[in-house]
Structure formats: C-alpha cells, structure tokens
Amino acid sequence: MSEARGAGLAFDRSARPYPRHTLQVQRFGVTMTESASQERLLLEAKGITKRFPGVLALSGVSLGIRPGEVHALMGENGAGKSTLMKIIGGIYQPDGGELLLNGDPYTPKGPADAQSKGVSLIHQELNLVPDLTVAQNIFLGREPMGAGKALLSEDKAVKKATELLHRIGVTFDARTLVRDLPVASQQMVEIAKAISFDSQLLVMDEPTAALTDREVDALFALIRDFVSPTTAVIYISHRMEELMQISDRITVFRDGRFVQELATEQTSRDEIVRLMVGRKITAYDRPEKTRDAQAAPTLEVRHVTNAMVKDASFSVYPGEILGFGGLAGAGRTELARAIIGADPKSSGEIIVEGKSVTIRRPSDAVDAGIAYLSEDRKQYGLVLDKTINDNVALASLKNFTDRIGLIKDGSIAKTAKNYIDALSIKTPSAMQQVKNLSGGNQQKVVIAKWLARDSKVLIFDEPTRGIDVGAKQEIYTLLDQLVQEGHCVVVISSELEELIRVSDRILVMCNGTITGELSHKEATQERIMELATTFRK
C-alpha cells in the first residue's frame, strides 16, 4: 500500500545518482567540482517583466537554474510563477529583460522553438487533443514515418509511446483516446509528451495535482533519473511536502516580484509560507459542531448504482460538511456525477429536503438545489473567454433578469464584486477575462458561481486543487461559513489532511463501494487509508 500523500512520500535524497557535494562537471575539457561551477547556469532570467491588460504580472524578476538541480518555484496564486514558466517555454514573450540558455541568448518564438532548444514545459492545465489517441498526442507534429518516409507509422508511434508510459510507471493502452482517460491519466500523458523531447530543462507546473501517490512516486523516480550534470528541473507545486523532498533550492515570488532564494535543506515550511504571503498564516482552527438529533437530512442518496458505483447510500444534514475519501478510481467523483445526472445511473433515489427528485441531467440537479463544482474547472466550470461577471452569473442567470428578460448588469457586477472581495480573487476588475487569471483564482471564480446560486447542497470536488496555502485557509473558513448559514456541503478531496481538517464526518470509498464512515474524532490518515484499500465485492 502506498503511503498517504499527507504522510510524506518516500523520497531519499541520498539515493540520487549525483551526490550534491561531489558532483563533477566536465566543461571545456576541464573537470570542476560543484563549488567551482556554481556560477555556471543552465538557464538565467534577468530582469524579466511582463504586463497584461491592467496587470503587472512580472516586475524585473531574475532567476538562475544550475545544471544538476531540481529548483522549486513557490508563491501564492498570481505571484507570477506560471507566467515566468510560459515565457521560458515560449508561450509568452517578455516585455523586458532577457533569457540565457547555457550562457547564450535564448529567445524562443513559441513552444516548438523552445522544445527544439531543449526546454519542455508540462502545463498545470491539460493541453491535449481529446479526440486523438495517447500516442498521437505525444508525437503530434513529429509523427514517426513508415518505410520510405511517405506515410505516418501508427505502429511506431504506439511502440514509442508505450515505452514512455512504462518509463513513468503507467500501463494504459497508448491507443486509447485521451477523452476516455481520467484526469490523472491525462496528466501522465502530458508528462510522457514532455520527456519525449531531448530536453536539457524540464519545467513542471503543478505536475502532481491530479496524480495518485503511486504515480507521484513514479514521477519523482523519473525526475531523479532525468537530472544530471547537463540537465535540470524547475518544479512548481503548492504541495509543500513534495517540494521539501524533491528540490535542492527554492525561489519565492510574491506579487510578481522575486523575494528570496533558499537552500531547501536549510529552510522550513513556516519560513517559506511567511515569504510567500508576507505574513504569518494562522493555523485553521475547525470549530467543533454537534448535529441536532431531530434534524432531517437535506440530501439523501439511496442505493445509487451505475457502471462505476455500487449501491451507494448516505445522508447529509444541514450545517454539516461530509467528506469523501479514497484513492484515485475509488468512485468518489463518479458517485457525485451520478447524483447530479452527469452520468447515468441504473438505479437509486435522490431526496432533497424530504422530497424525491428526478435528476436526468445536471440542469435538473441545479433546479433541485444541488450544485457540483467539478475537479476539472477548465472543461466543466468556466467559460474562459468570458469575464468574471459573466461566469459568476452563469449558474443563476434567471436571478439577474427582469420581468421582460433583460439582464441586470448592475446586479451582476455587485454580486461579482462581493465574491471577488470575499474570496480574495486577484484581478484588476470584474471585467477581466477568466482565461487571464491564475489557476487558483479561476478556481475561486467557479466557487463564486455556485455561491451566487445559493444552492441547498454544495458538492465540492477537489475544491483547493491548484490553490496556494494562503487561499486554502480562506476557503476552509468559507466552507464553515456556508454550513453555519444552513447549507450542507460535500467535499471530495485527495488531500487527507484537508479532508480531516474540514469534515464533520468522512465516508471512504474503494472500488465503487462506500467501505466505512468516520466521525471527525475517529478520522486519522491511517484509518482513512485502511478503509480506502478495503476491497469489497
């Protein structure tokens, strides 16, 4: 059984093939120790500035990446991390400053140009073609040719893709259409695609957000194999325990500016958090609550069954946060999708406030007072080309129209402004297009959309995925505020610490079945993992 992510990953720094203090570097025919070559940089960013409409995303940022290291980049959402990585990966062009690769000017004109120069970027947001196979996605634009080099060779592509997938520890068929894969497997395709290039520098932006613990372990093994005296990795993640285990150095950004560079072994989690947010984060103190014994459940799910879920029954009460735990593929998301009508169910009953409701499609669930916040905000949660105002009103447009059907823009703007303030969404205005926000701020807009609907039941699927440590505290507080106002909340989370922190009760699933229930006092990471690996037919 793999360890729970919150319990720490088994990464042994001493197991690296390149001991940090004895690294030998061959340069111009002269062998130097690491101490003599520390100033030799694989990549150097000098005074990088980038502006977007109404936003100074980067202000004179500098960064140096040494060969033979894993360099972590940290900061709150909107700090500029992903913007800098997209400049390094050729997606954005800087408005000022310069980049050097191996000491030479580096001015990538696009992602393909960056890849040709040895720089590959693994995006936080998936960047795949859903209707192509895994192999076709990995080799898109550089497909292997058959005999005579006249036709593409699908067999060669599948063979090479299969080898790459095995290298990163996954075994799904390379002929599978990407749209048929779960999010975690699609992320592994992105990783396989990036390493398929002959890269000197691998840039990983939140690569483990959707991965299981076993897949994280495989990824870390891949990183250890990849890093050498001529290669390096830039690693961005909000998962502090990962960064402390895999990185050699950490650079902290705040509000688009460089704050400090730290040696990982000489710093602490508290110091990094303080530098990220510019203040001390107060530990989240979850209030103890007792349920009214006479209270009727707001939501009852009875014997829901489909291809992935087996006879699932549970109740959620007003003023309660019910957590769902389990490993990837356990059926948590599939159960939520069956409840809201996104996936068909072969049997089962949904009861809201004592009344049985018929839910055949997501709009029926919304009408019944059930809101679902998907783990894939880009595909299911947002209209990226629309403004924050538009997205906040998306699920409750009827509430913002007058008797003759005209939209009340002023009312929408006021509501959006309230949620921008309440959720600390970093944006120059509510008229900003959502695609221009950082991933964490996009997630907050999705939450605002469902809060504006004022639903009775709120199902949050991985609500803090891709969200920084400071914003997580705000969302945890917000969840408690929601239940204090009478809503009932369901939280699906892969973060065991988070699940224990926010939940009044926790249901654990394995193989599509609910295998146990834990009260807040009973819940431990070990107990959750025991139930998450309890296979029941």
Side-chain angles (χ1 to χ4, degrees), residues 257-489:
R257 292 174 170 81
F258 170 89
V259 176
Q260 192 168 332
E261 180 187 291
L262 307 158
T264 305
E265 293 179 344
Q266 297 172 9
T267 191
S268 67
R269 182 185 187 279
D270 290 344
E271 173 67 6
I272 294 168
V273 170
R274 184 187 66 79
L275 292 170
M276 284 171 57
V277 302
R279 65 189 188 278
K280 183 177 180 180
I281 292 291
T282 303
Y284 173 76
D285 185 16
R286 178 185 172 278
E288 289 292 335
K289 292 174 287 185
T290 56
R291 191 176 76 218
D292 182 353
Q294 304 302 315
T298 304
L299 173 69
E300 294 179 80
V301 174
R302 296 180 179 175
H303 308 294
V304 167
T305 299
N306 66 10
M308 295 292 294
V309 178
K310 303 169 186 175
D311 195 30
S313 298
F314 65 91
S315 299
V316 195
Y317 292 83
E320 175 183 49
I321 299 177
L322 177 67
F324 269 86
L327 301 174
R332 299 165 302 165
T333 294
E334 290 80 4
L335 174 56
R337 287 176 58 84
I339 291 170
I340 66 164
D343 292 337
K345 56 182 181 290
S346 55
S347 64
E349 184 181 15
I350 311 299
I351 300 170
V352 179
E353 294 186 326
K355 180 181 178 182
S356 181
V357 295
T358 300
I359 298 176
R360 296 189 177 91
R361 58 186 67 85
S363 60
D364 295 334
V366 173
D367 291 340
I370 303 173
Y372 173 65
L373 189 150
S374 170
E375 64 177 330
D376 189 347
R377 60 177 173 264
K378 187 175 181 180
Q379 184 171 357
Y380 298 113
L382 297 165
V383 181
L384 296 174
D385 289 329
K386 295 296 184 180
T387 66
I388 296 174
N389 278 348
D390 294 334
N391 277 274
V392 168
L394 202 59
S396 49
L397 201 54
K398 291 180 181 178
N399 297 337
F400 296 108
T401 56
D402 61 20
R403 286 179 294 178
I404 61 173
L406 295 177
I407 295 174
K408 296 185 284 188
D409 291 328
S411 180
I412 292 175
K414 182 179 179 180
T415 301
K417 177 66 166 57
N418 288 340
Y419 286 116
I420 287 171
D421 293 340
L423 299 178
S424 298
I425 299 173
K426 292 183 179 179
T427 177
S429 79
M431 295 303 293
Q432 179 71 276
Q433 287 184 323
V434 170
K435 68 181 180 183
N436 292 327
L437 301 179
S438 67
N441 284 303
Q442 289 179 356
Q443 185 81 323
K444 292 181 185 180
V445 173
V446 183
I447 294 174
K449 178 184 74 172
W450 289 117
L451 295 183
R453 177 75 192 196
D454 195 28
S455 302
K456 304 179 186 73
V457 180
L458 297 160
I459 302 174
F460 292 93
D461 197 346
E462 305 290 357
T464 64
R465 177 185 173 192
I467 289 179
D468 60 72
V469 63
K472 281 187 177 183
Q473 313 303 322
E474 298 166 2
I475 290 177
Y476 298 155
T477 301
L478 175 63
L479 293 177
D480 271 322
Q481 289 174 353
L482 289 171
V483 296
Q484 287 168 17
E485 293 169 2
H487 300 276
C488 67
V489 173

Side-chain angles (χ1 to χ4, degrees), residues 72-89:
L73 195 57
M74 296 203 69
E76 291 191 277
N77 291 113
K81 310 180 303 296
S82 294
T83 298
L84 180 60
M85 295 308 99
K86 288 176 181 178
I87 289 173
I88 292 172

Side-chain angles (χ1 to χ4, degrees), residues 56-115:
L56 180 60
L58 292 172
S59 179
V61 166
S62 296
L63 178 71
I65 307 299
R66 300 169 188 163
E69 75 170 351
V70 178
H71 193 119
L73 195 57
M74 296 203 69
E76 291 191 277
N77 291 113
K81 310 180 303 296
S82 294
T83 298
L84 180 60
M85 295 308 99
K86 288 176 181 178
I87 289 173
I88 292 172
I91 297 170
Y92 295 156
Q93 299 301 310
D95 296 318
E98 65 174 332
L99 294 172
L100 301 174
L101 186 64
N102 290 315
D104 297 322
Y106 170 63
T107 56
K109 304 305 181 186
D113 189 25
Q115 290 163 347

Side-chain angles (χ1 to χ4, degrees), residues 166-182:
H166 287 170
R167 181 180 170 189
I168 61 176
V170 293
T171 57
F172 50 76
D173 193 335
R175 297 180 178 86
T176 305
L177 292 178
V178 163
R179 61 177 162 82
D180 293 332
L181 294 174

